Amino acid sequence: MPKLPAPPLPKSLQPRPKRPGENGNGAVRPVEAAQEAGITVVDWIDERTSLSGGIRWLLFRKVPKGINWFYTLGSATMFAFLNQAVTGVFLAMFYRPDAAGGAYESVRYITDDAFLGQLVRAMHKWGASVMIILIFLHMARVFFFGAYKYPRELTWIIGVVLLILTLAMGFTGYLLPFDQRSYWATIVGVNINGTGPFIGPYLSDFLRAGPEFGATTLSRFYAIHMMLIPGLIAALIGAHLYLITKLGISAPPWIKAQEDPGLRESQV
Ligand code: HEM
């Protein structure tokens, strides 16, 4: 005789459907639960921070037609700065700002003995020149394309401060190997600073950490070089990028001329 199907269990006795990430004992494992629900780590972070909106605002924006490779010089300068920051951290792991021979010896150790030390030091040293060349090229692009004009004056002013700070990085970094060349070059540089009007003498005293060039001068230069100025540069690059994103990139002058029939012939 065929077996009759069992009558359905009452609702309270029916097995509950498995929740995402639930194992055999009824315990829910959060990582598996998220995987089953298709939630990635990025989604998890974004739900708590809403950072993706800001990143999309910064990266996914319209740019004017006709822009070219010259518009990449600002980003190239930024990457040169990042290179300086990363290599600088590794150099700081070995460098000692000790004027009684320790600084010179630590730089010798980095160059001759530390693993990949010569490479990292060279990247930092050559990277400094690369950054200065790039910043001038970027500034020239902005100048010749007239990109400093309304409404981008503040972007330009922040740029000028960035230029001064970048040059100051070169100046303060030059002393750190503490060899004959860096010592005498810095004395000359500090003396030149001292001839500046009004703030010149105060600036020299600040740089020397007193009226005489002494052991604390090296510590002063090191602190300025690896903390004060990089912090300022990072903050100002943030402000520079904020303004660039908010105002949009300026169109090249020849496109502006085509699109604005109101321009006089001389302006075109
Ligand atoms: C650490 C140094 C600097 C960094 C990292 C930097 C970065 C950038 C970036 C990524 C852009 C976007 C467009 C482009 O690349 O051309 C830009 C635009 C701009 N920068 Fe810089 N910059 C620096 C220094 C300077 C300097 C020295 C000036 C001028 C004195 C300047 C003035 C401007 C202006 C006015 C714009 C807007 C250009 C436009 O809308 O077409 N920047 N900068």
Side-chain angles (χ1 to χ4, degrees), residues 192-257:
I192 292 174
N193 269 297
T195 61
F198 309 116
I199 59 160
Y202 299 103
L203 186 61
S204 287
D205 278 355
F206 171 71
L207 287 171
R208 274 190 302 250
E212 295 294 330
F213 195 104
T216 44
T217 311
L218 182 60
S219 312
R220 176 69 52 106
F221 269 58
Y222 186 46
I224 296 174
H225 183 79
M226 80 155 222
M227 286 193 285
L228 184 64
I229 304 184
L232 288 173
I233 292 185
L236 287 177
I237 288 181
H240 203 63
L241 290 184
Y242 169 76
L243 287 178
I244 291 157
T245 311
K246 185 172 177 334
L247 301 172
I249 295 289
S250 66
W254 54 93
I255 299 280
K256 258 186 260 173

Side-chain angles (χ1 to χ4, degrees), residues 5-6 77 85 105 122 144 158 183-184 202 239 244-245 247-248 263 266-267:
T77 314
E105 168 52 26
F144 287 116
I158 292 176
Y183 179 81
W184 292 109
Y202 299 103
I244 291 157
T245 311
L247 301 172
L263 287 178
S266 60
Q267 287 173 302

Side-chain angles (χ1 to χ4, degrees), residues 61 64 69-79 81 131 134-136 138-143 145-149 152-164 166 233 237 240-241 243-244 247-252:
R61 48 204 159 84
W69 281 98
F70 292 116
Y71 282 77
T72 60
L73 289 165
S75 306
T77 314
M78 191 164 66
F79 280 104
F81 173 68
M131 183 170 172
L134 285 172
I135 201 171
F136 273 110
H138 168 57
M139 196 168 81
R141 193 291 282 174
V142 170
F143 181 74
F145 283 38
Y148 53 84
K149 294 179 194 168
R152 298 184 179 80
E153 303 91 328
L154 189 57
T155 321
W156 173 270
I157 291 168
I158 292 176
V160 172
V161 181
L162 278 169
L163 175 69
I164 294 168
T166 306
I233 292 185
I237 288 181
H240 203 63
L241 290 184
L243 287 178
I244 291 157
L247 301 172
I249 295 289
S250 66

Side-chain angles (χ1 to χ4, degrees), residues 17 60 68 70 80 91 104 227:
F60 295 89
N68 53 32
F70 292 116
L91 292 177
Y104 182 84
M227 286 193 285

